[in-house]
């Protein structure tokens, strides 16, 4: 073969500076691109053999990554289809730059590596991010082919000459520049290969590693081991998601989860195996982790692959926001991987994939609920937060989740939204026809209010999660006809669910005014509004409540910066004095000093039941209690 020199293209003299400049921040991707190309070449020879277009021995396919620190080179070798000199000219010199003019126009302002790599055949040229000189040694699989050698120093000039390779395949030799010396480090390359090539479908070898194997027994009959040097194969060529669900056992899914997340302490609750080939291609496995009762949105837990090549763990535009709580793998060749985020967001396939995944997750949850409700209820504490997050953020998911979202009451009984409406709609209805759902956000602290509600035959829901402030509004809109939620400590029970019948005061109007005056003086706090109420004599003498609307607005202000006005307002409480309680009559008939002491004591007891009695007020209460004893 005669040596041939040439210029790649007059239009591309600025291509290498652009590549180096715009890809520099993501320059580790060069190894992903070159190893992926080698895998493609390996798979092509296998495909040609299966079609009868290659009669030779395919052999064990292998991509070899070699580091020579002394020579400052990285070599990526394969035993795939190889190239002829003419194919080098076509695929390396011409095709790679066929869109160069368009590239320069579209991407001269690019600032994201993924906007460039892989477009216009530039994957190979990512080598020039880290190398100032690149060589190709190759021999085509075709009968009678001659080995060819291509070299380029990062300018538009190249040289093709006779090669030295004697077996089918290709070597890419990178002469690493001084700026990229970090890649002449074995552990750095291992890290990149572990990240991008962990599940490639062809074995990737990177040097050797030391391992131990059995070596008989010692004199005491104990097993002996010896150290041996073996090939360092960095990948699993057949990960679980590439197999049919029927081939896999629960142990296989759990083992793959451990492979993905070796440091995870908990096993997943269950999983979904995705497999669709129309109208787009998508495979993958999504795992439901245990989610603590706090909003732990652990991003970067779902990994995106394209034909087993790792692309990114930034899957926000492909996976709905609420599904970011899941773990696992998605693999799709139909996702445009090398374009900008704005393109991703507008891509029709991405939207279809997004909708498909949402549907599959909802269907899986519905299936578990229908086939094993008891098991579903046992997992509710671990998955309830995830389901509520989905319902609040995705309308299509919410439509299905309404059938399996559970509401739990203080007796630890679980109901679907529809079941709960049926349970309380005839009992907890007020004089205006509103169905009132009573709820608590702290069972222990609000026990006295819960007990009072139960004496009336009412049910109390437990809504104590980080999203339940928002779920109260959701239930009012979607929970059933004329539903309203009120926290059990928002007022006295007869005011929370007002009926037509009215309780009468057993004291006179004058005595009522006198009692109001005694309590106002005894309490003497601007944030406490005192009222004398006609309640049952069996109820507490004094109750302290906070208005439902104000409390809800303030709760939402804590989780939503958009309601800062309410968040900045001081807490205001209502003090309900039970005008029918025997203690009030005793206070009215006592001396001024004794009446004041008793009023303070009853008020402090109400504060104590709410956890609002602290500091010097608590000290005074304890002292007064001792004196009264």
């Amino acid at each position: 073969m005669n040596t041939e020199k040439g210029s790649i293209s007059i239009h591309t003299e600025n291509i290498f500076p652009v590549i180096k400049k715009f890809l520099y921040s993501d320059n580790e991707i060069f190894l992903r691109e070159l190893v992926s190309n080698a895998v493609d070449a390996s798979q092509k020879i296998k495909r040609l053999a299966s079609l009868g277009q290659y009669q030779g021995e395919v052999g064990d396919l292998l991509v070899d990554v070699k580091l020579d620190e002394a020579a400052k080179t990285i070599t990526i070798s394969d035993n795939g289809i190889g190239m002829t000199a003419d194919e080098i000219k076509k695929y390396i010199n011409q095709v790679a730059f066929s869109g160069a003019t368009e590239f320069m126009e579209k991407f001269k302002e690019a600032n994201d590596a993924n906007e460039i790599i892989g477009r216009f055949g530039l994957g190979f040229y990512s080598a020039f991010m880290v190398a100032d000189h690149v060589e190709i040694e190759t021999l085509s699989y075709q009968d009678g082919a001659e080995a060819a050698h291509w070299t380029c120093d990062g300018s538009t000039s190249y040289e093709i000459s006779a090669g030295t390779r004697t077996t089918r395949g290709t070597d890419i030799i990178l002469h690493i520049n001084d700026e990229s010396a970090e890649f002449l480090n074995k552990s750095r390359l291992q890290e990149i290969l572990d990240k991008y090539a962990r599940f490639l479908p062809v074995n990737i070898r990177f040097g050797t590693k030391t391992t131990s194997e059995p070596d008989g027994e010692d004199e005491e009959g104990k097993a002996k081991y010896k150290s041996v040097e073996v090939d360092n194969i960095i990948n699993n060529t057949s990960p679980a998601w590439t197999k049919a669900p029927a081939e896999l056992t629960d142990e296989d899914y759990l083992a793959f989860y451990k492979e993905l997340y070796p440091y995870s302490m908990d096993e997943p609750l269950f999983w979904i195996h995705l497999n669709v080939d129309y109208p787009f291609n998508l495979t993958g496995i999504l795992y439901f982790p245990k989610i603590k009762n706090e909003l732990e949105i652990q991003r970067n837990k779902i990994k995106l692959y394209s034909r087993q090549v790792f692309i990114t763990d930034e899957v926000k535009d492909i996976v709905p926001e609420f599904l970011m709580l899941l773990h696992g793998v998605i693999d799709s060749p139909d996702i445009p991987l090398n374009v900008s985020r704005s393109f991703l967001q507008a891509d029709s396939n991405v939207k279809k994939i997004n909708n498909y995944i949402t549907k599959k997750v909802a269907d899986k949850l519905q299936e578990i609920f229908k086939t094993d409700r008891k098991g579903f209820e046992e997992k509710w504490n671990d998955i309830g937060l995830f389901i509520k997050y989905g319902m609040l953020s995705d309308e299509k998911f919410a439509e299905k989740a309404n059938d399996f979202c559970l509401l739990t009451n203080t007796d630890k009984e679980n109901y679907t939204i529809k079941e709960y409406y049926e349970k309380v709609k005839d009992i907890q209805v007020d004089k205006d026809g509103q169905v009132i759902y009573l709820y608590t956000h702290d069972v222990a602290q609000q026990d006295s209010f819960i007990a009072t509600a139960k004496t009336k035959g009412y049910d109390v829901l437990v809504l104590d999660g980080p999203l339940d402030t928002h779920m109260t509004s959701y239930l009012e809109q979607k929970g059933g006809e004329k539903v309203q939620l009120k926290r059990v400590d928002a007022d006295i029970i007869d005011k929370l669910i007002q009926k037509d019948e009215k309780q009468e005061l057993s004291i006179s109007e004058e005595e009522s005014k006198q009692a109001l005056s005694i309590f106002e003086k005894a309490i003497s706090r601007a944030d406490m509004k005192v009222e004398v109420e006609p309640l049952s004599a069996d109820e507490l003498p004094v109750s302290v409540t906070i208005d439902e609307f104000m409390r809800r607005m303030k709760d939402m202000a804590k989780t939503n910066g958009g309601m800062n006005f309410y968040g900045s307002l001081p807490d205001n409480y209502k003090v309900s004095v039970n005008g029918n309680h025997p203690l009030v009559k005793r206070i009215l008939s006592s001396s001024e000093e004794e009446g004041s002491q008793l009023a303070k004591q009853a008020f402090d007891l109400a504060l104590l039941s709410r956890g609002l009695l602290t500091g010097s007020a608590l000290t005074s209460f304890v002292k007064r209690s001792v004196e009264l004893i």
Side-chain angles (χ1 to χ4, degrees):
M1 179 188 295
N2 295 324
T3 297
E4 177 184 325
K5 296 182 179 181
S7 179
I8 294 169
S9 169
I10 191 66
H11 302 296
T12 61
E13 58 189 75
N14 294 320
I15 200 80
F16 293 112
V18 170
I19 288 175
K20 288 178 181 179
K21 177 181 178 182
F22 289 124
L23 304 189
Y24 188 74
S25 62
D26 259 347
N27 54 1
E28 69 175 31
I29 293 175
F30 83 92
L31 195 55
R32 179 191 81 180
E33 292 296 309
L34 298 178
V35 169
S36 298
N37 287 348
V39 168
D40 288 343
S42 304
Q43 290 182 303
K44 282 174 182 172
I45 195 68
K46 191 175 179 181
R47 176 71 172 156
L48 289 172
S50 71
L51 296 172
Q53 295 178 20
Y54 174 63
Q55 306 300 325
E57 189 69 34
V58 173
D60 293 329
L61 296 174
L62 178 73
V63 174
D64 214 356
V65 179
K66 288 169 279 193
L67 169 66
D68 187 332
E69 294 175 62
K72 296 185 177 180
T73 62
I74 297 171
T75 301
I76 296 96
S77 302
D78 67 69
N79 54 350
I81 57 173
M83 288 183 285
T84 63
D86 285 341
E87 285 172 332
I88 290 177
K89 293 176 194 175
K90 180 179 179 182
Y91 295 114
I92 301 298
N93 296 347
Q94 295 169 19
V95 171
F97 288 102
S98 61
T101 304
E102 183 186 356
F103 165 80
M104 294 297 291
E105 287 302 313
K106 281 195 173 183
F107 294 97
K108 60 187 177 185
E109 302 299 328
N111 54 21
D112 178 358
N114 278 334
E115 292 181 0
I116 299 175
I117 290 182
R119 302 298 304 277
F120 311 102
L122 287 172
F124 167 75
Y125 282 93
S126 63
F128 287 98
M129 290 190 290
V130 298
D132 52 18
H133 176 205
V134 178
E135 298 178 73
I136 299 175
E137 284 281 0
T138 185
L139 176 62
S140 171
Y141 75 96
Q142 298 173 40
D143 290 338
E146 295 181 11
H149 174 256
W150 177 92
T151 182
C152 178
D153 63 1
S155 69
T156 57
S157 299
Y158 67 87
E159 182 180 296
I160 297 179
S161 58
T164 58
R165 185 158 177 139
T166 57
T167 57
R168 180 198 76 221
T170 301
D171 302 322
I172 309 291
I173 304 115
L174 311 183
H175 296 265
I176 304 301
N177 59 42
D178 292 339
E179 294 173 345
S180 305
E182 65 172 293
F183 298 111
L184 295 172
N185 179 290
K186 184 177 180 182
S187 60
R188 178 74 171 106
L189 291 186
Q190 179 76 43
E191 174 194 330
I192 299 169
L193 290 168
D194 285 341
K195 180 178 180 180
Y196 291 108
R198 197 169 162 198
F199 297 113
L200 280 171
V202 174
N203 280 335
I204 313 296
R205 180 172 64 192
F206 180 48
T208 60
K209 62 182 178 181
T210 303
T211 186
S212 61
E213 63 178 37
D215 186 28
E217 297 179 347
D218 61 17
E219 295 173 357
E220 298 176 6
K222 295 179 179 177
K224 289 197 304 181
Y225 295 88
K226 63 180 179 181
S227 294
V228 292
E229 202 72 11
V230 297
D231 285 347
N232 179 27
I233 303 297
I234 60 99
N235 57 321
N236 170 3
T237 58
S238 300
W241 84 80
T242 64
K243 300 174 183 177
E247 297 177 47
L248 300 168
T249 64
D250 287 355
E251 288 71 25
D252 293 327
Y253 284 110
L254 292 172
F256 182 58
Y257 186 79
K258 274 293 180 190
E259 194 174 349
L260 286 173
Y261 312 105
Y263 302 110
S264 175
M265 301 297 290
D266 295 320
E267 288 187 348
L269 297 166
F270 43 84
W271 48 85
I272 298 172
H273 197 132
L274 306 168
N275 194 346
V276 63
D277 53 19
Y278 182 83
F280 48 81
N281 288 292
L282 177 76
T283 55
I285 301 171
L286 293 179
Y287 292 91
F288 287 75
K290 290 183 178 178
I291 302 170
K292 298 181 179 68
N293 199 23
E294 54 189 82
L295 203 56
E296 293 181 337
I297 305 178
Q298 300 177 353
R299 300 185 184 283
N300 307 337
K301 289 293 186 180
I302 296 179
K303 302 174 188 297
L304 179 66
Y305 288 76
S306 178
R307 297 186 176 92
Q308 295 175 237
V309 181
F310 174 75
I311 303 302
T312 182
D313 46 21
E314 295 269 346
V315 296
K316 183 174 179 292
D317 297 306
I318 296 156
V319 175
E321 175 75 17
F322 75 99
L323 292 181
M324 298 286 283
L325 288 167
L326 300 184
H327 298 175
V329 168
I330 294 170
D331 189 327
S332 176
D334 288 333
I335 296 172
L337 303 168
N338 298 307
V339 291
S340 65
R341 237 186 105 200
S342 59
F343 189 97
L344 250 187
Q345 290 167 334
D347 185 75
S348 61
N349 267 335
V350 170
K351 289 178 180 175
K352 289 175 188 171
I353 288 170
N354 189 302
N355 292 336
Y356 168 77
I357 294 172
T358 300
K359 182 179 183 301
K360 285 290 286 184
V361 169
D363 288 347
K364 177 69 173 182
L365 289 165
Q366 196 163 43
E367 175 195 337
I368 295 171
F369 177 74
K370 286 181 177 177
T371 57
D372 182 16
R373 175 160 178 167
K374 186 174 182 293
F376 187 90
E377 289 186 5
E378 288 170 356
K379 294 183 178 78
W380 182 250
N381 283 340
D382 293 309
I383 61 173
L385 180 65
F386 161 79
I387 291 172
K388 289 174 183 177
Y389 186 26
M391 294 173 73
L392 293 168
S393 59
D394 191 297
E395 197 170 328
K396 287 186 178 177
F397 179 80
E399 287 173 9
K400 293 201 170 189
N402 282 329
D403 293 335
F404 52 76
C405 175
L406 296 178
L407 302 176
T408 307
N409 66 10
T410 52
D411 295 325
K412 295 184 170 56
E413 297 167 337
N414 293 303
Y415 301 88
T416 65
I417 293 174
K418 186 176 180 181
E419 288 169 350
Y420 195 75
Y421 180 78
E422 291 299 318
K423 174 181 173 63
V424 301
K425 68 179 176 64
D426 296 325
I427 304 166
Q428 294 176 202
V429 58
D430 68 12
K431 60 185 177 63
D432 299 319
Q434 291 280 344
V435 179
I436 309 299
Y437 289 8
L438 299 173
Y439 70 97
T440 174
H441 83 301
D442 189 324
V443 173
Q445 191 184 79
Q446 293 160 1
D447 182 72
S448 62
F449 293 95
I450 295 166
T452 301
K454 285 189 170 184
T455 61
K456 295 275 188 179
Y458 297 152
D459 193 75
V460 181
L461 289 173
V462 179
L463 294 176
D464 57 1
L467 294 178
D468 283 339
T469 298
H470 302 282
M471 276 303 290
T472 56
S473 299
Y474 179 88
L475 290 170
E476 285 177 335
Q477 295 170 32
K478 311 283 187 179
E481 191 177 350
K482 298 182 77 173
V483 167
Q484 190 176 1
L485 272 81
K486 294 181 181 180
R487 207 167 81 179
V488 72
D489 63 340
D491 209 328
I492 56 176
I493 193 64
D494 287 343
K495 290 245 177 131
L496 290 177
I497 305 178
Q498 284 189 302
K499 302 289 187 178
D500 284 328
E501 63 268 16
K502 278 193 174 183
Q503 189 91 23
E504 297 294 332
L505 272 174
S506 60
I507 56 176
S508 68
E509 188 177 339
E510 188 61 34
E511 287 174 321
S512 176
K513 288 178 182 178
Q514 187 183 349
L516 179 64
S517 176
I518 292 169
F519 273 92
E520 283 180 337
K521 286 177 184 176
I523 294 168
S524 190
R525 280 178 54 174
D527 61 339
M528 298 282 175
K529 183 184 178 183
V530 184
E531 291 182 4
V532 177
E533 307 272 5
L535 307 176
S536 167
D538 296 330
E539 293 190 23
L540 293 171
V542 178
S543 300
V544 176
T545 58
I546 183 170
D547 177 73
E548 172 71 19
F549 174 78
M550 281 300 298
R551 182 207 48 75
R552 197 184 293 192
M553 292 302 103
K554 288 173 73 66
D555 283 350
M556 290 181 73
K558 293 174 186 175
T559 57
N560 181 355
M563 310 204 68
N564 285 334
F565 169 74
Y566 291 105
S568 63
L569 292 176
D571 288 332
N572 281 287
Y573 297 91
K574 176 185 168 186
V575 180
S576 297
V577 176
N578 183 357
N580 293 333
H581 197 280
L583 179 62
V584 173
K585 293 176 182 176
R586 180 181 166 188
I587 289 170
L588 289 170
S589 62
S590 300
S591 66
E592 185 177 341
E593 184 179 347
E594 184 187 3
S596 178
Q597 289 289 86
L598 289 171
K600 282 180 183 177
Q601 190 73 359
F603 172 67
D604 283 350
L605 282 168
L607 289 179
L608 189 66
S609 72
R610 295 212 52 164
L612 296 173
L613 193 62
T614 59
S616 60
L618 179 59
T619 304
S620 297
F621 168 76
V622 173
K623 185 179 178 183
R624 191 186 320 116
S625 297
V626 172
E627 290 170 356
L628 287 171
I629 291 172

